[in-house]
Amino acid sequence: MKIKEKSAEILTVDYKILTKISPDIESFAGFPYIEPTVGRPWPLPQSETPGDGYMTVDPTDFTFQATGESCDILTKAFQRYQSIIFSHENPTMHKPRNQKERVSENLIGEGQLTSLNVNLASPCEDYPYLNMDEQYELKICAPDSPTEATLDSNSIWGILRGLETFSQILVKNGSLYSVSCTQILDFPRYAHRGVHLDTSRHFLPLEKILENLDLMAMNKFNIFHWHIVDDQSFPYVSSVYPDLSAKGAWSDIHVYTLQDINIVVNYARDLGIRVIPEFDTPETEPQSELTVRLIQAMKKISVFLQNLFQEIASRFPDHYLHLGGDEVPFTCWSRKLNSVSFSFKKNYKLFEIVYNRATIENKRQFYEIKLWQKKFILSWRTYNMFLTYIVWEEVFNNGVQIAPDTVVHVWKHSSTPIWFYSEIASVTAAGYQALLSSCWYLNLIEYGTDWQKFYDCDPQGFDGTDEQKSLVLGGEACMWAEYIDETNVISTMWPRAAPVAERLWSNKNDTTSADEASPRLEEHRCRLFRRGYAVEPLGPSYCPEVL
């Protein structure tokens, strides 16, 4: 009997007993019971060729072996996965769920697997980056090596993805584990697979951010879009402008110091995750005293931006920076028009002429456009920090002159695909790269299960040329924190973000059915729950081996 069939029989024995007691167990008050798969990885691999048979794994006699290049990232990954797999415990802070031991059957299979041979073909890179190589090949008792398990990749980032897959296909059976013979060749569909998390509207402690990074890695996300500040609070502690947090944070303890940022960046690095911070310029609702002073002293803004962005660039090693730019209220800006330094208008002769002839509404629009234009020109040409910027779609829609390699982030019209697909088409037709988040807002919660609709969304689902679609970098699941804090951030995000991860990683044609994904997602949810994370249930169910 194949291990998948055998494991399914072992792990569903309780379910079969229950059905004899109550034939209606397959549905609860109209909610169907979804029987989880066994030993299926998440997200779905690009190519998987199951073999015959399985191998057994004894936790006391198993190691990861580096057969190629090595580095600190690989060494830490071996330690991390040894703990994750065999103790079901997050090695940093979380305790595993109480588990009920099952009696081991006499598993023999194709023999005992004592190691996973990990062959990293190239030296490790320092930090993850856009278009990094994440491809890997995982073989378990393959025809060319029937008694071995091998993981091969050209990059450390591919090795990390392969280790996660290996950790998911092992099935616990009493004191032993089993793993099906298989060959997996896997790589992501999109280079940019992100999770956006807001820490301004509610401050999130560092441990919750790290916990979210763990879960991202377990779903093969590779971008942490850190919406670190907004008008509600400014918890980023700047050395060059300490008043930003001193006057802008909720309190003097609700802040992220340089040490905190280093912890997040390096923790993410070890997981193969990039950290892209977002600093709104201008703020969504510029009401703070500091923002007003900035607007009233426009002639100083270039110095301010230069100093602040140079500091940000030194703290966040990624080549990309998100500059926000969404929901700028023109009424607020227009009230500040008379406060603008005349020297600013004097530097823009065209602006001065048009400004004097414009209507009030045009003044608002034109003022914002020229302000943004000045910021982008200064930050891109004068600062010379070699950063590439991401902006929300309003910046593009308002006709701001932006650098050719600027990435436009589409987020509006979540319930109207024809509109957000039209927006991506317009952005890419203009030659800009694009990201999609419109359909993946995790904070828009519905009663019951709402993750199924995430499978209806595809960043390349618009009508456009192949060249346009090649400009789509990927997308992000977004969590805004008006009603989210440390008490519910993990359970609200996970496992609801997992379908987004699969749509961004897996083959488009293999991941269009929520019904097909449902049993695998049930298993994945139990897997994350068993590892110690407070992930919410998907409906009436239970997790085998977890009390």
Side-chain angles (χ1 to χ4, degrees), residues 331-367:
T331 54
C332 181
W333 287 100
S334 66
R335 288 197 300 269
K336 307 300 183 295
L337 285 174
N338 293 329
S339 302
V340 178
S341 168
F342 184 74
S343 62
F344 176 71
K345 290 192 292 179
K346 198 165 59 174
N347 291 331
Y348 282 87
K349 297 297 183 182
L350 177 61
F351 171 79
E352 186 178 13
I353 295 171
V354 176
Y355 179 85
N356 291 332
R357 298 178 180 176
T359 64
I360 291 297
E361 184 60 30
N362 285 338
K363 287 178 183 179
R364 296 170 184 169
Q365 296 275 352
F366 204 86
Y367 173 77

Side-chain angles (χ1 to χ4, degrees), residues 236 240-241 277 279 281 301-323 374-389 403 405:
Y236 170 82
V240 292
Y241 295 109
F279 287 81
T281 47
I301 196 169
S302 63
V303 176
F304 169 81
L305 288 175
Q306 181 178 8
N307 293 339
L308 181 62
F309 285 168
Q310 283 180 342
E311 178 186 72
I312 292 168
S314 70
R315 295 185 176 186
F316 293 91
D318 201 86
H319 181 67
Y320 284 75
L321 174 67
H322 205 303
L323 288 179
K374 183 175 176 66
K375 288 183 179 182
F376 274 84
I377 291 173
L378 283 169
S379 57
W380 178 249
R381 298 178 183 172
T382 304
Y383 298 172
N384 197 25
M385 291 183 294
F386 305 103
L387 292 176
T388 300
Y389 295 144
D405 60 351

Side-chain angles (χ1 to χ4, degrees), residues 248-265:
W250 290 115
S251 77
D252 58 356
I253 64 171
H254 294 91
V255 294
Y256 301 110
T257 64
L258 173 59
Q259 181 182 7
D260 295 331
I261 291 171
N262 287 338
I263 290 173
V264 171
V265 168

Side-chain angles (χ1 to χ4, degrees), residues 142-174:
D144 58 345
S145 53
T147 62
E148 297 180 357
T150 60
L151 172 60
D152 293 276
S153 179
N154 289 325
S155 80
I156 184 61
W157 319 120
I159 292 294
L160 294 178
R161 306 302 176 236
L163 287 172
E164 179 57 39
T165 296
F166 179 76
S167 77
Q168 295 183 7
I169 63 176
L170 267 70
V171 177
K172 194 173 190 296
N173 184 20

